PDB file of all heavy atoms in Angstrom:
ATOM      1  N   SER A   2      74.326 -82.163 -24.951  1.00 78.00           N
ATOM      2  CA  SER A   2      73.357 -81.716 -23.990  1.00 78.00           C
ATOM      3  C   SER A   2      73.739 -80.288 -23.492  1.00 78.00           C
ATOM      4  O   SER A   2      73.390 -79.312 -24.149  1.00 78.00           O
ATOM      5  CB  SER A   2      73.283 -82.730 -22.852  1.00 78.00           C
ATOM      6  OG  SER A   2      72.334 -82.299 -21.868  1.00 78.00           O
ATOM      7  N   SER A   3      74.326 -80.222 -22.303  1.00 88.00           N
ATOM      8  CA  SER A   3      74.725 -78.916 -21.732  1.00 88.00           C
ATOM      9  C   SER A   3      76.175 -78.890 -21.363  1.00 88.00           C
ATOM     10  O   SER A   3      76.749 -79.926 -21.012  1.00 88.00           O
ATOM     11  CB  SER A   3      73.841 -78.686 -20.450  1.00 88.00           C
ATOM     12  OG  SER A   3      72.513 -78.781 -20.712  1.00 88.00           O
ATOM     13  N   GLY A   4      76.705 -77.708 -21.397  1.00 90.00           N
ATOM     14  CA  GLY A   4      78.161 -77.568 -21.077  1.00 90.00           C
ATOM     15  C   GLY A   4      78.432 -77.879 -19.655  1.00 90.00           C
ATOM     16  O   GLY A   4      77.764 -77.384 -18.756  1.00 90.00           O
ATOM     17  N   GLY A   5      79.456 -78.756 -19.416  1.00 94.00           N
ATOM     18  CA  GLY A   5      79.729 -79.157 -18.075  1.00 94.00           C
ATOM     19  C   GLY A   5      80.226 -78.084 -17.153  1.00 94.00           C
ATOM     20  O   GLY A   5      79.811 -77.923 -16.042  1.00 94.00           O
ATOM     21  N   LEU A   6      81.214 -77.281 -17.608  1.00 97.00           N
ATOM     22  CA  LEU A   6      81.797 -76.264 -16.820  1.00 97.00           C
ATOM     23  C   LEU A   6      80.817 -75.134 -16.572  1.00 97.00           C
ATOM     24  O   LEU A   6      80.789 -74.570 -15.407  1.00 97.00           O
ATOM     25  CB  LEU A   6      83.085 -75.686 -17.506  1.00 97.00           C
ATOM     26  CG  LEU A   6      84.272 -76.635 -17.409  1.00 97.00           C
ATOM     27  CD1 LEU A   6      85.313 -76.199 -18.358  1.00 97.00           C
ATOM     28  CD2 LEU A   6      84.867 -76.624 -15.976  1.00 97.00           C
ATOM     29  N   THR A   7      79.950 -74.813 -17.483  1.00 97.00           N
ATOM     30  CA  THR A   7      78.969 -73.754 -17.293  1.00 97.00           C
ATOM     31  C   THR A   7      77.933 -74.179 -16.288  1.00 97.00           C
ATOM     32  O   THR A   7      77.525 -73.391 -15.433  1.00 97.00           O
ATOM     33  CB  THR A   7      78.414 -73.291 -18.648  1.00 97.00           C
ATOM     34  OG1 THR A   7      77.953 -74.465 -19.397  1.00 97.00           O
ATOM     35  CG2 THR A   7      79.383 -72.486 -19.449  1.00 97.00           C
ATOM     36  N   THR A   8      77.409 -75.406 -16.462  1.00 97.00           N
ATOM     37  CA  THR A   8      76.367 -75.835 -15.507  1.00 97.00           C
ATOM     38  C   THR A   8      76.945 -76.017 -14.137  1.00 97.00           C
ATOM     39  O   THR A   8      76.322 -75.746 -13.137  1.00 97.00           O
ATOM     40  CB  THR A   8      75.738 -77.158 -15.923  1.00 97.00           C
ATOM     41  OG1 THR A   8      76.694 -78.138 -16.238  1.00 97.00           O
ATOM     42  CG2 THR A   8      74.878 -76.937 -17.250  1.00 97.00           C
ATOM     43  N   ALA A   9      78.289 -76.467 -14.011  1.00 98.00           N
ATOM     44  CA  ALA A   9      78.888 -76.541 -12.691  1.00 98.00           C
ATOM     45  C   ALA A   9      78.992 -75.155 -12.068  1.00 98.00           C
ATOM     46  O   ALA A   9      78.753 -75.036 -10.861  1.00 98.00           O
ATOM     47  CB  ALA A   9      80.271 -77.212 -12.834  1.00 98.00           C
ATOM     48  N   ALA A  10      79.382 -74.221 -12.871  1.00 98.00           N
ATOM     49  CA  ALA A  10      79.492 -72.814 -12.354  1.00 98.00           C
ATOM     50  C   ALA A  10      78.153 -72.305 -11.809  1.00 98.00           C
ATOM     51  O   ALA A  10      78.069 -71.707 -10.737  1.00 98.00           O
ATOM     52  CB  ALA A  10      80.014 -71.876 -13.380  1.00 98.00           C
ATOM     53  N   VAL A  11      77.029 -72.594 -12.530  1.00 98.00           N
ATOM     54  CA  VAL A  11      75.732 -72.136 -12.111  1.00 98.00           C
ATOM     55  C   VAL A  11      75.343 -72.854 -10.864  1.00 98.00           C
ATOM     56  O   VAL A  11      74.815 -72.214  -9.900  1.00 98.00           O
ATOM     57  CB  VAL A  11      74.684 -72.421 -13.249  1.00 98.00           C
ATOM     58  CG1 VAL A  11      73.301 -72.124 -12.729  1.00 98.00           C
ATOM     59  CG2 VAL A  11      75.039 -71.612 -14.444  1.00 98.00           C
ATOM     60  N   ALA A  12      75.602 -74.197 -10.752  1.00 98.00           N
ATOM     61  CA  ALA A  12      75.242 -74.938  -9.539  1.00 98.00           C
ATOM     62  C   ALA A  12      76.020 -74.388  -8.335  1.00 98.00           C
ATOM     63  O   ALA A  12      75.485 -74.246  -7.214  1.00 98.00           O
ATOM     64  CB  ALA A  12      75.548 -76.346  -9.739  1.00 98.00           C
ATOM     65  N   LEU A  13      77.281 -74.084  -8.538  1.00 98.00           N
ATOM     66  CA  LEU A  13      78.111 -73.559  -7.416  1.00 98.00           C
ATOM     67  C   LEU A  13      77.572 -72.216  -6.994  1.00 98.00           C
ATOM     68  O   LEU A  13      77.448 -71.937  -5.768  1.00 98.00           O
ATOM     69  CB  LEU A  13      79.590 -73.436  -7.874  1.00 98.00           C
ATOM     70  CG  LEU A  13      80.346 -74.769  -7.930  1.00 98.00           C
ATOM     71  CD1 LEU A  13      81.594 -74.617  -8.795  1.00 98.00           C
ATOM     72  CD2 LEU A  13      80.656 -75.294  -6.568  1.00 98.00           C
ATOM     73  N   ALA A  14      77.246 -71.366  -7.897  1.00 98.00           N
ATOM     74  CA  ALA A  14      76.799 -70.027  -7.598  1.00 98.00           C
ATOM     75  C   ALA A  14      75.384 -70.075  -6.920  1.00 98.00           C
ATOM     76  O   ALA A  14      75.007 -69.074  -6.258  1.00 98.00           O
ATOM     77  CB  ALA A  14      76.717 -69.137  -8.828  1.00 98.00           C
ATOM     78  N   SER A  15      74.696 -71.119  -7.153  1.00 98.00           N
ATOM     79  CA  SER A  15      73.301 -71.186  -6.606  1.00 98.00           C
ATOM     80  C   SER A  15      73.225 -71.842  -5.235  1.00 98.00           C
ATOM     81  O   SER A  15      72.157 -71.916  -4.615  1.00 98.00           O
ATOM     82  CB  SER A  15      72.428 -72.031  -7.558  1.00 98.00           C
ATOM     83  OG  SER A  15      72.449 -71.482  -8.844  1.00 98.00           O
ATOM     84  N   THR A  16      74.362 -72.279  -4.674  1.00 98.00           N
ATOM     85  CA  THR A  16      74.434 -73.030  -3.418  1.00 98.00           C
ATOM     86  C   THR A  16      75.513 -72.457  -2.551  1.00 98.00           C
ATOM     87  O   THR A  16      76.326 -71.649  -2.962  1.00 98.00           O
ATOM     88  CB  THR A  16      74.654 -74.500  -3.668  1.00 98.00           C
ATOM     89  OG1 THR A  16      75.858 -74.675  -4.445  1.00 98.00           O
ATOM     90  CG2 THR A  16      73.467 -75.115  -4.360  1.00 98.00           C
ATOM     91  N   SER A  17      75.523 -72.908  -1.267  1.00 98.00           N
ATOM     92  CA  SER A  17      76.542 -72.303  -0.351  1.00 98.00           C
ATOM     93  C   SER A  17      77.502 -73.339   0.272  1.00 98.00           C
ATOM     94  O   SER A  17      78.611 -72.977   0.571  1.00 98.00           O
ATOM     95  CB  SER A  17      75.795 -71.630   0.803  1.00 98.00           C
ATOM     96  OG  SER A  17      74.976 -72.559   1.525  1.00 98.00           O
ATOM     97  N   ARG A  18      77.129 -74.592   0.327  1.00 98.00           N
ATOM     98  CA  ARG A  18      78.015 -75.604   0.882  1.00 98.00           C
ATOM     99  C   ARG A  18      78.211 -76.859  -0.013  1.00 98.00           C
ATOM    100  O   ARG A  18      79.121 -77.614   0.151  1.00 98.00           O
ATOM    101  CB  ARG A  18      77.500 -76.091   2.220  1.00 98.00           C
ATOM    102  CG  ARG A  18      76.144 -76.829   2.138  1.00 98.00           C
ATOM    103  CD  ARG A  18      75.899 -77.762   3.311  1.00 98.00           C
ATOM    104  NE  ARG A  18      74.711 -78.506   3.073  1.00 98.00           N
ATOM    105  CZ  ARG A  18      74.650 -79.627   2.426  1.00 98.00           C
ATOM    106  NH1 ARG A  18      75.745 -80.123   1.930  1.00 98.00           N
ATOM    107  NH2 ARG A  18      73.522 -80.301   2.191  1.00 98.00           N
ATOM    108  N   LEU A  19      77.321 -77.003  -0.954  1.00 98.00           N
ATOM    109  CA  LEU A  19      77.303 -78.213  -1.783  1.00 98.00           C
ATOM    110  C   LEU A  19      78.587 -78.364  -2.590  1.00 98.00           C
ATOM    111  O   LEU A  19      79.081 -77.440  -3.175  1.00 98.00           O
ATOM    112  CB  LEU A  19      76.131 -78.190  -2.749  1.00 98.00           C
ATOM    113  CG  LEU A  19      75.661 -79.466  -3.427  1.00 98.00           C
ATOM    114  CD1 LEU A  19      75.039 -80.402  -2.374  1.00 98.00           C
ATOM    115  CD2 LEU A  19      74.607 -79.098  -4.554  1.00 98.00           C
ATOM    116  N   VAL A  20      79.214 -79.568  -2.605  1.00 98.00           N
ATOM    117  CA  VAL A  20      80.356 -79.844  -3.468  1.00 98.00           C
ATOM    118  C   VAL A  20      79.737 -80.209  -4.861  1.00 98.00           C
ATOM    119  O   VAL A  20      78.876 -81.004  -4.922  1.00 98.00           O
ATOM    120  CB  VAL A  20      81.154 -81.038  -2.906  1.00 98.00           C
ATOM    121  CG1 VAL A  20      82.219 -81.527  -3.938  1.00 98.00           C
ATOM    122  CG2 VAL A  20      81.841 -80.669  -1.578  1.00 98.00           C
ATOM    123  N   VAL A  21      80.272 -79.610  -5.816  1.00 98.00           N
ATOM    124  CA  VAL A  21      79.875 -79.802  -7.227  1.00 98.00           C
ATOM    125  C   VAL A  21      80.959 -80.554  -7.979  1.00 98.00           C
ATOM    126  O   VAL A  21      82.094 -80.018  -8.085  1.00 98.00           O
ATOM    127  CB  VAL A  21      79.444 -78.515  -7.923  1.00 98.00           C
ATOM    128  CG1 VAL A  21      79.077 -78.795  -9.380  1.00 98.00           C
ATOM    129  CG2 VAL A  21      78.248 -77.900  -7.206  1.00 98.00           C
ATOM    130  N   GLY A  22      80.647 -81.726  -8.419  1.00 98.00           N
ATOM    131  CA  GLY A  22      81.589 -82.504  -9.263  1.00 98.00           C
ATOM    132  C   GLY A  22      81.207 -82.385 -10.734  1.00 98.00           C
ATOM    133  O   GLY A  22      80.038 -81.993 -11.085  1.00 98.00           O
ATOM    134  N   LEU A  23      82.145 -82.694 -11.575  1.00 97.00           N
ATOM    135  CA  LEU A  23      81.898 -82.651 -13.011  1.00 97.00           C
ATOM    136  C   LEU A  23      82.584 -83.840 -13.666  1.00 97.00           C
ATOM    137  O   LEU A  23      83.782 -83.968 -13.691  1.00 97.00           O
ATOM    138  CB  LEU A  23      82.465 -81.372 -13.642  1.00 97.00           C
ATOM    139  CG  LEU A  23      82.440 -81.281 -15.158  1.00 97.00           C
ATOM    140  CD1 LEU A  23      81.039 -81.519 -15.708  1.00 97.00           C
ATOM    141  CD2 LEU A  23      82.925 -79.895 -15.633  1.00 97.00           C
ATOM    142  N   GLY A  24      81.741 -84.831 -14.077  1.00 89.00           N
ATOM    143  CA  GLY A  24      82.259 -86.018 -14.661  1.00 89.00           C
ATOM    144  C   GLY A  24      81.323 -86.449 -15.817  1.00 89.00           C
ATOM    145  O   GLY A  24      80.181 -86.739 -15.580  1.00 89.00           O
ATOM    146  N   LEU A  25      81.946 -86.421 -17.058  1.00 92.00           N
ATOM    147  CA  LEU A  25      83.326 -86.344 -17.299  1.00 92.00           C
ATOM    148  C   LEU A  25      83.597 -85.319 -18.387  1.00 92.00           C
ATOM    149  O   LEU A  25      82.793 -85.159 -19.361  1.00 92.00           O
ATOM    150  CB  LEU A  25      83.930 -87.687 -17.804  1.00 92.00           C
ATOM    151  CG  LEU A  25      83.669 -88.831 -16.830  1.00 92.00           C
ATOM    152  CD1 LEU A  25      83.998 -90.143 -17.572  1.00 92.00           C
ATOM    153  CD2 LEU A  25      84.526 -88.707 -15.577  1.00 92.00           C
ATOM    154  N   LEU A  26      84.742 -84.666 -18.264  1.00 94.00           N
ATOM    155  CA  LEU A  26      85.209 -83.755 -19.333  1.00 94.00           C
ATOM    156  C   LEU A  26      86.039 -84.588 -20.325  1.00 94.00           C
ATOM    157  O   LEU A  26      87.041 -85.262 -19.954  1.00 94.00           O
ATOM    158  CB  LEU A  26      86.145 -82.644 -18.716  1.00 94.00           C
ATOM    159  CG  LEU A  26      85.422 -81.490 -17.945  1.00 94.00           C
ATOM    160  CD1 LEU A  26      86.479 -80.810 -17.099  1.00 94.00           C
ATOM    161  CD2 LEU A  26      84.714 -80.580 -18.938  1.00 94.00           C
ATOM    162  N   PRO A  27      85.671 -84.650 -21.605  1.00 92.00           N
ATOM    163  CA  PRO A  27      86.461 -85.416 -22.548  1.00 92.00           C
ATOM    164  C   PRO A  27      87.857 -84.783 -22.763  1.00 92.00           C
ATOM    165  O   PRO A  27      87.942 -83.563 -23.114  1.00 92.00           O
ATOM    166  CB  PRO A  27      85.618 -85.298 -23.865  1.00 92.00           C
ATOM    167  CG  PRO A  27      84.224 -84.961 -23.417  1.00 92.00           C
ATOM    168  CD  PRO A  27      84.420 -84.099 -22.143  1.00 92.00           C
ATOM    169  N   ALA A  28      88.856 -85.567 -22.574  1.00 89.00           N
ATOM    170  CA  ALA A  28      90.239 -84.984 -22.521  1.00 89.00           C
ATOM    171  C   ALA A  28      90.655 -84.352 -23.867  1.00 89.00           C
ATOM    172  O   ALA A  28      91.390 -83.387 -23.860  1.00 89.00           O
ATOM    173  CB  ALA A  28      91.215 -86.099 -22.151  1.00 89.00           C
ATOM    174  N   GLY A  29      90.145 -84.908 -25.017  1.00 82.00           N
ATOM    175  CA  GLY A  29      90.623 -84.421 -26.241  1.00 82.00           C
ATOM    176  C   GLY A  29      89.909 -83.179 -26.771  1.00 82.00           C
ATOM    177  O   GLY A  29      90.303 -82.655 -27.765  1.00 82.00           O
ATOM    178  N   VAL A  30      88.882 -82.755 -26.086  1.00 89.00           N
ATOM    179  CA  VAL A  30      88.034 -81.679 -26.627  1.00 89.00           C
ATOM    180  C   VAL A  30      88.598 -80.306 -26.283  1.00 89.00           C
ATOM    181  O   VAL A  30      88.388 -79.352 -26.995  1.00 89.00           O
ATOM    182  CB  VAL A  30      86.565 -81.863 -26.080  1.00 89.00           C
ATOM    183  CG1 VAL A  30      85.747 -80.659 -26.498  1.00 89.00           C
ATOM    184  CG2 VAL A  30      86.015 -83.124 -26.693  1.00 89.00           C
ATOM    185  N   ARG A  31      89.253 -80.202 -25.072  1.00 87.00           N
ATOM    186  CA  ARG A  31      89.676 -78.876 -24.659  1.00 87.00           C
ATOM    187  C   ARG A  31      91.204 -78.849 -24.519  1.00 87.00           C
ATOM    188  O   ARG A  31      91.858 -79.821 -24.130  1.00 87.00           O
ATOM    189  CB  ARG A  31      89.064 -78.557 -23.316  1.00 87.00           C
ATOM    190  CG  ARG A  31      87.573 -78.209 -23.321  1.00 87.00           C
ATOM    191  CD  ARG A  31      87.133 -77.655 -21.975  1.00 87.00           C
ATOM    192  NE  ARG A  31      85.769 -77.218 -22.014  1.00 87.00           N
ATOM    193  CZ  ARG A  31      84.722 -78.004 -21.841  1.00 87.00           C
ATOM    194  NH1 ARG A  31      84.857 -79.324 -21.621  1.00 87.00           N
ATOM    195  NH2 ARG A  31      83.504 -77.530 -21.856  1.00 87.00           N
ATOM    196  N   ASN A  32      91.762 -77.692 -24.805  1.00 94.00           N
ATOM    197  CA  ASN A  32      93.200 -77.477 -24.621  1.00 94.00           C
ATOM    198  C   ASN A  32      93.412 -77.539 -23.124  1.00 94.00           C
ATOM    199  O   ASN A  32      92.716 -76.916 -22.294  1.00 94.00           O
ATOM    200  CB  ASN A  32      93.600 -76.131 -25.151  1.00 94.00           C
ATOM    201  CG  ASN A  32      95.021 -75.737 -24.851  1.00 94.00           C
ATOM    202  OD1 ASN A  32      95.323 -75.305 -23.766  1.00 94.00           O
ATOM    203  ND2 ASN A  32      95.867 -75.910 -25.890  1.00 94.00           N
ATOM    204  N   ALA A  33      94.511 -78.242 -22.705  1.00 96.00           N
ATOM    205  CA  ALA A  33      94.778 -78.466 -21.274  1.00 96.00           C
ATOM    206  C   ALA A  33      95.014 -77.154 -20.468  1.00 96.00           C
ATOM    207  O   ALA A  33      94.570 -77.033 -19.359  1.00 96.00           O
ATOM    208  CB  ALA A  33      95.998 -79.395 -21.116  1.00 96.00           C
ATOM    209  N   ALA A  34      95.639 -76.182 -21.078  1.00 97.00           N
ATOM    210  CA  ALA A  34      95.890 -74.926 -20.383  1.00 97.00           C
ATOM    211  C   ALA A  34      94.602 -74.104 -20.214  1.00 97.00           C
ATOM    212  O   ALA A  34      94.383 -73.578 -19.139  1.00 97.00           O
ATOM    213  CB  ALA A  34      96.896 -74.133 -21.145  1.00 97.00           C
ATOM    214  N   ILE A  35      93.769 -74.121 -21.217  1.00 97.00           N
ATOM    215  CA  ILE A  35      92.544 -73.383 -21.136  1.00 97.00           C
ATOM    216  C   ILE A  35      91.573 -73.959 -20.134  1.00 97.00           C
ATOM    217  O   ILE A  35      90.962 -73.336 -19.317  1.00 97.00           O
ATOM    218  CB  ILE A  35      91.863 -73.301 -22.545  1.00 97.00           C
ATOM    219  CG1 ILE A  35      92.802 -72.646 -23.569  1.00 97.00           C
ATOM    220  CG2 ILE A  35      90.575 -72.505 -22.442  1.00 97.00           C
ATOM    221  CD1 ILE A  35      93.326 -71.333 -23.186  1.00 97.00           C
ATOM    222  N   VAL A  36      91.461 -75.356 -20.149  1.00 98.00           N
ATOM    223  CA  VAL A  36      90.589 -75.957 -19.212  1.00 98.00           C
ATOM    224  C   VAL A  36      91.146 -75.802 -17.794  1.00 98.00           C
ATOM    225  O   VAL A  36      90.381 -75.710 -16.770  1.00 98.00           O
ATOM    226  CB  VAL A  36      90.343 -77.462 -19.521  1.00 98.00           C
ATOM    227  CG1 VAL A  36      91.485 -78.342 -19.206  1.00 98.00           C
ATOM    228  CG2 VAL A  36      89.055 -77.909 -18.857  1.00 98.00           C
ATOM    229  N   ALA A  37      92.450 -75.722 -17.627  1.00 98.00           N
ATOM    230  CA  ALA A  37      93.014 -75.542 -16.272  1.00 98.00           C
ATOM    231  C   ALA A  37      92.645 -74.109 -15.829  1.00 98.00           C
ATOM    232  O   ALA A  37      92.420 -73.926 -14.601  1.00 98.00           O
ATOM    233  CB  ALA A  37      94.548 -75.658 -16.321  1.00 98.00           C
ATOM    234  N   MET A  38      92.651 -73.135 -16.712  1.00 98.00           N
ATOM    235  CA  MET A  38      92.216 -71.803 -16.329  1.00 98.00           C
ATOM    236  C   MET A  38      90.805 -71.795 -15.805  1.00 98.00           C
ATOM    237  O   MET A  38      90.458 -71.125 -14.835  1.00 98.00           O
ATOM    238  CB  MET A  38      92.353 -70.815 -17.531  1.00 98.00           C
ATOM    239  CG  MET A  38      93.742 -70.421 -17.880  1.00 98.00           C
ATOM    240  SD  MET A  38      93.940 -69.285 -19.252  1.00 98.00           S
ATOM    241  CE  MET A  38      92.321 -68.867 -19.792  1.00 98.00           C
ATOM    242  N   GLU A  39      89.922 -72.546 -16.549  1.00 98.00           N
ATOM    243  CA  GLU A  39      88.483 -72.588 -16.180  1.00 98.00           C
ATOM    244  C   GLU A  39      88.339 -73.224 -14.798  1.00 98.00           C
ATOM    245  O   GLU A  39      87.640 -72.754 -13.939  1.00 98.00           O
ATOM    246  CB  GLU A  39      87.732 -73.378 -17.229  1.00 98.00           C
ATOM    247  CG  GLU A  39      87.761 -72.847 -18.646  1.00 98.00           C
ATOM    248  CD  GLU A  39      86.853 -71.658 -18.820  1.00 98.00           C
ATOM    249  OE1 GLU A  39      86.202 -71.197 -17.879  1.00 98.00           O
ATOM    250  OE2 GLU A  39      86.780 -71.201 -19.977  1.00 98.00           O
ATOM    251  N   ILE A  40      89.084 -74.361 -14.602  1.00 98.00           N
ATOM    252  CA  ILE A  40      88.956 -75.027 -13.300  1.00 98.00           C
ATOM    253  C   ILE A  40      89.496 -74.159 -12.151  1.00 98.00           C
ATOM    254  O   ILE A  40      88.946 -74.097 -11.098  1.00 98.00           O
ATOM    255  CB  ILE A  40      89.764 -76.379 -13.373  1.00 98.00           C
ATOM    256  CG1 ILE A  40      89.054 -77.351 -14.313  1.00 98.00           C
ATOM    257  CG2 ILE A  40      89.887 -77.016 -12.010  1.00 98.00           C
ATOM    258  CD1 ILE A  40      89.839 -78.551 -14.675  1.00 98.00           C
ATOM    259  N   ALA A  41      90.605 -73.473 -12.432  1.00 98.00           N
ATOM    260  CA  ALA A  41      91.204 -72.629 -11.411  1.00 98.00           C
ATOM    261  C   ALA A  41      90.211 -71.484 -11.036  1.00 98.00           C
ATOM    262  O   ALA A  41      90.152 -71.112  -9.893  1.00 98.00           O
ATOM    263  CB  ALA A  41      92.520 -72.038 -11.910  1.00 98.00           C
ATOM    264  N   THR A  42      89.536 -70.897 -12.030  1.00 98.00           N
ATOM    265  CA  THR A  42      88.613 -69.872 -11.711  1.00 98.00           C
ATOM    266  C   THR A  42      87.513 -70.374 -10.747  1.00 98.00           C
ATOM    267  O   THR A  42      87.154 -69.665  -9.776  1.00 98.00           O
ATOM    268  CB  THR A  42      87.961 -69.342 -13.015  1.00 98.00           C
ATOM    269  OG1 THR A  42      89.038 -68.806 -13.840  1.00 98.00           O
ATOM    270  CG2 THR A  42      86.922 -68.301 -12.749  1.00 98.00           C
ATOM    271  N   LEU A  43      86.934 -71.515 -11.031  1.00 98.00           N
ATOM    272  CA  LEU A  43      85.935 -72.063 -10.148  1.00 98.00           C
ATOM    273  C   LEU A  43      86.491 -72.450  -8.799  1.00 98.00           C
ATOM    274  O   LEU A  43      85.847 -72.239  -7.758  1.00 98.00           O
ATOM    275  CB  LEU A  43      85.260 -73.263 -10.814  1.00 98.00           C
ATOM    276  CG  LEU A  43      84.453 -73.036 -12.069  1.00 98.00           C
ATOM    277  CD1 LEU A  43      83.898 -74.331 -12.630  1.00 98.00           C
ATOM    278  CD2 LEU A  43      83.323 -72.054 -11.725  1.00 98.00           C
ATOM    279  N   ALA A  44      87.702 -72.998  -8.787  1.00 98.00           N
ATOM    280  CA  ALA A  44      88.313 -73.403  -7.530  1.00 98.00           C
ATOM    281  C   ALA A  44      88.614 -72.216  -6.646  1.00 98.00           C
ATOM    282  O   ALA A  44      88.580 -72.275  -5.382  1.00 98.00           O
ATOM    283  CB  ALA A  44      89.583 -74.170  -7.812  1.00 98.00           C
ATOM    284  N   ARG A  45      88.987 -71.078  -7.228  1.00 98.00           N
ATOM    285  CA  ARG A  45      89.312 -69.872  -6.468  1.00 98.00           C
ATOM    286  C   ARG A  45      88.043 -69.227  -5.945  1.00 98.00           C
ATOM    287  O   ARG A  45      87.954 -68.694  -4.803  1.00 98.00           O
ATOM    288  CB  ARG A  45      90.085 -68.829  -7.262  1.00 98.00           C
ATOM    289  CG  ARG A  45      91.510 -69.223  -7.494  1.00 98.00           C
ATOM    290  CD  ARG A  45      92.239 -68.168  -8.298  1.00 98.00           C
ATOM    291  NE  ARG A  45      92.313 -66.879  -7.623  1.00 98.00           N
ATOM    292  CZ  ARG A  45      93.386 -66.456  -6.965  1.00 98.00           C
ATOM    293  NH1 ARG A  45      94.502 -67.180  -6.906  1.00 98.00           N
ATOM    294  NH2 ARG A  45      93.416 -65.303  -6.387  1.00 98.00           N
TER     295      ARG A  45
END
């Protein structure tokens, strides 16, 4: 369907207070360090 991290980023950028969750990221699809970088970018 649609990329989870990219749609989460768009939702966060489109709102001001809403908590945006992402469930679920398949563990085997992404390298753990790379997905940690992506999560850290959104969290910061």
Side-chain angles (χ1 to χ4, degrees):
S2 180
S3 304
L6 286 164
T7 46
T8 52
V11 173
L13 286 163
S15 302
T16 55
S17 60
R18 64 158 187 85
L19 199 67
V20 171
V21 175
L23 173 53
L25 303 166
L26 285 163
V30 172
R31 287 188 175 87
N32 177 279
I35 303 305
V36 77
M38 287 181 3
E39 301 282 5
I40 292 169
T42 299
L43 292 177
R45 285 181 67 99

